[in-house]
Amino acid sequence: MAPPLLTALLLLLLASLIPASQSQAATCLSQSFTSNKRYTFCNDLPSLNAYLHWDFNEAQSTLSVAFIAPPAQPDGWISWALNPTASGMAGSQALIAFKQPDGKMAVKTYNITSYQPLKESKVWFDVKESSAESSGGTIKLFATVVLPEKGRTVLNHVWQVGSSVTGGVPDKHAFQPANLNSKGSLDLLKGQSTASAGGNSNLKKRNIHGVLNVVSWGIMFPTGIIIARYLKVFPSADPAWFYLHVSCQVSAYAIGVAGWGTGLKLGSESKSITHSVHRNIGITLFVFATLQVFALLLRPKKDHKLRIYWNIYHHGIGYSVAVLGILNVFKGLDILQPDPKWRRAYIVVIAVLGGIALSLEAFTWVVVLKRKKASTKPYDGYNNGHTRQEPLAP
Ligand SMILES: *[C@@H]1O[C@H](CO)[C@@H](O)[C@H](O)[C@H]1NC(C)=O
């Protein structure tokens, strides 16, 4: 049973390595403009790989911005907006850059009142000039606007990217956390963009959820399996491996249930979006892990005739928890979209665990085969009708 699961685990790892390599490490300070224009301030915005550069003339209340972001798809759109009345999208006064029906890039203005199809309109500020460029999968939106309220230098801003434009109208954007957290407060004089309070505390909850679940389902459960599978080959590790395995898995279960609870809470708070695959895998994990706890209580004695069935059941569910746990960590990373270094770090941890498991697997086979050779009944292990890994069973 183990080799196919191990293979599945490795395939999973390989698959997850691919998207991890396309990260973006640039900062706004290294960005330059073809016109040699320099802006006084720039900010690496906290989501959607977006950057904002600006100059602000307080006396005249004019703001010159360059907003840079990769659209969700090459023919998509990018948008930067000020919201004079609220902190989110509703009420925002948006500049949207996209390819016009004539094939040229341009910037249009939208007074955004709801999620209804957008209609070009006048906005809160006057646009003195605007332009847009698209190259290498990134759009640059340039605009100089006059703010109507002199002296108001701290403003809420929102930014967004979308994947398509239909008939000259930007289509709805995605509703991933990165699309929902793309807002902040901009201090035009200090040159700072800070996350708005609401988004922040929610992000903190999501991060706690992520850490708890990565540690338990993504690292401790697989480690506990490695302990059980490979330590018990050594007669000298006999009761020790069992207690180590049980304490590792029981702690993993405790942390995992806490993490699972935070997930349920986040799910109930997120009314507009449901991550159903992530949620369903999470529920399955909880059920499976709970079954394992009961399995421990109902374990038949070593020489009981039912013990073999118990082993199959316990190992089957155990390996499923490991595979589903790791899979769901990657699903969670896709949803949360933290800095790419976290995904890479987790891949390294899993690769190390996988490497340890592989070398122990090879080592175990050497030990078991040697024992067989030394034994007076060399075929005993194969003749009793059990699987080939039977010599490893407790
Ligand atoms: C934007 O739309 C809202 C709601 O229709 C309206 O109250 C507001 O005056 C509009 N803003 C501008 C600048 O037209």
Side-chain angles (χ1 to χ4, degrees):
M1 141 161 331
L5 276 163
L6 222 62
T7 319
L9 222 118
L10 285 174
L11 282 179
L12 204 80
L13 272 180
L14 287 178
S16 55
L17 277 169
I18 298 157
S21 55
Q22 32 170 267
S23 74
Q24 183 178 358
T27 78
C28 67
L29 292 171
S30 65
Q31 291 170 333
S32 56
F33 299 95
T34 43
S35 55
N36 269 338
K37 166 115 183 82
R38 290 193 163 274
Y39 293 88
T40 318
F41 299 115
C42 84
N43 267 219
D44 300 339
L45 299 177
S47 72
L48 301 171
N49 290 319
Y51 306 90
L52 184 71
H53 301 249
W54 78 92
D55 271 332
F56 182 56
N57 181 328
E58 198 184 2
Q60 293 173 0
S61 213
T62 49
L63 174 66
S64 268
V65 297
F67 172 71
I68 304 177
Q73 293 289 327
D75 281 328
W77 51 268
I78 68 164
S79 169
W80 179 78
L82 285 172
N83 192 336
T85 49
S87 70
M89 186 193 77
S92 63
Q93 308 294 301
L95 297 162
I96 307 188
F98 56 98
K99 199 191 266 177
Q100 306 299 314
D102 66 2
K104 295 203 180 83
M105 293 295 297
V107 176
K108 303 276 176 191
T109 54
Y110 299 85
N111 173 11
I112 297 181
T113 47
S114 70
Y115 285 107
Q116 277 148 19
L118 295 179
K119 233 172 111 197
E120 195 183 346
S121 62
K122 276 184 71 69
V123 286
W124 178 64
F125 44 73
D126 272 336
V127 180
K128 275 172 74 175
E129 52 186 41
S130 67
S131 64
E133 292 169 6
S134 170
S135 73
T138 297
I139 297 180
K140 293 180 175 149
L141 181 164
F142 301 95
T144 301
V145 305
V146 183
L147 303 183
E149 290 178 40
K150 268 200 178 170
R152 197 167 161 192
T153 60
V154 178
L155 283 162
N156 292 320
H157 69 143
V158 193
W159 59 98
Q160 198 52 260
V161 301
S163 57
S164 57
V165 175
T166 309
V169 181
D171 294 321
K172 243 195 325 212
H173 58 80
F175 289 84
Q176 296 294 311
N179 300 93
L180 302 175
N181 290 329
S182 52
K183 57 187 178 181
S185 165
L186 193 65
D187 190 321
L188 295 172
L189 296 178
K190 286 195 188 140
Q192 287 165 347
S193 167
T194 42
S196 38
N200 230 2
S201 78
N202 200 7
L203 195 66
K204 203 163 154 192
K205 275 190 226 157
R206 287 163 176 271
N207 287 342
I208 292 173
H209 168 76
V211 169
L212 289 176
N213 288 302
V214 168
V215 168
S216 65
W217 306 100
I219 297 175
M220 289 176 76
F221 272 114
T223 306
I225 292 178
I226 292 178
I227 290 173
R229 180 163 171 82
Y230 300 110
L231 278 191
K232 68 178 159 204
V233 194
F234 305 102
S236 57
D238 191 8
W241 75 261
F242 175 76
Y243 294 111
L244 243 128
H245 173 65
V246 169
S247 46
C248 184
Q249 304 310 61
V250 167
S251 335
Y253 183 73
I255 300 173
V257 168
W260 189 72
T262 59
L264 287 188
K265 182 114 202 302
L266 284 171
S268 71
E269 283 168 6
S270 155
K271 286 170 206 83
S272 49
I273 347 162
T274 353
H275 303 286
S276 38
V277 177
H278 184 65
R279 189 196 58 188
N280 293 344
I281 297 179
I283 292 171
T284 311
L285 277 172
F286 174 74
V287 171
F288 277 12
T290 307
L291 282 177
Q292 292 294 65
V293 173
F294 282 109
L296 180 70
L297 304 176
L298 298 174
R299 192 166 51 118
K301 290 233 151 24
K302 246 182 203 175
D303 43 13
H304 195 283
K305 65 179 194 308
L306 288 180
R307 177 61 177 246
I308 174 79
Y309 300 107
W310 183 89
N311 280 349
I312 292 172
Y313 159 84
H314 182 65
H315 295 167
I317 302 225
Y319 287 122
S320 312
V321 167
V323 172
L324 287 176
I326 292 170
L327 180 70
N328 222 23
V329 166
F330 284 110
K331 287 263 169 251
L333 286 169
D334 285 346
I335 294 168
L336 192 54
Q337 292 181 359
D339 189 296
K341 72 177 179 220
W342 295 111
R343 191 188 183 93
R344 265 179 257 144
Y346 181 62
I347 289 170
V348 168
V349 170
I350 287 302
V352 168
L353 281 180
I356 292 175
L358 270 183
S359 20
L360 286 175
E361 182 77 26
F363 180 71
T364 307
W365 277 101
V366 172
V367 171
V368 170
L369 290 179
K370 263 195 187 150
R371 265 185 214 161
K372 264 198 191 107
K373 249 189 185 166
S375 148
T376 48
K377 294 182 285 175
Y379 298 110
D380 199 28
Y382 291 125
N383 285 349
N384 59 13
H386 294 156
T387 59
R388 288 189 300 155
Q389 69 186 90
E390 181 55 18
L392 306 184

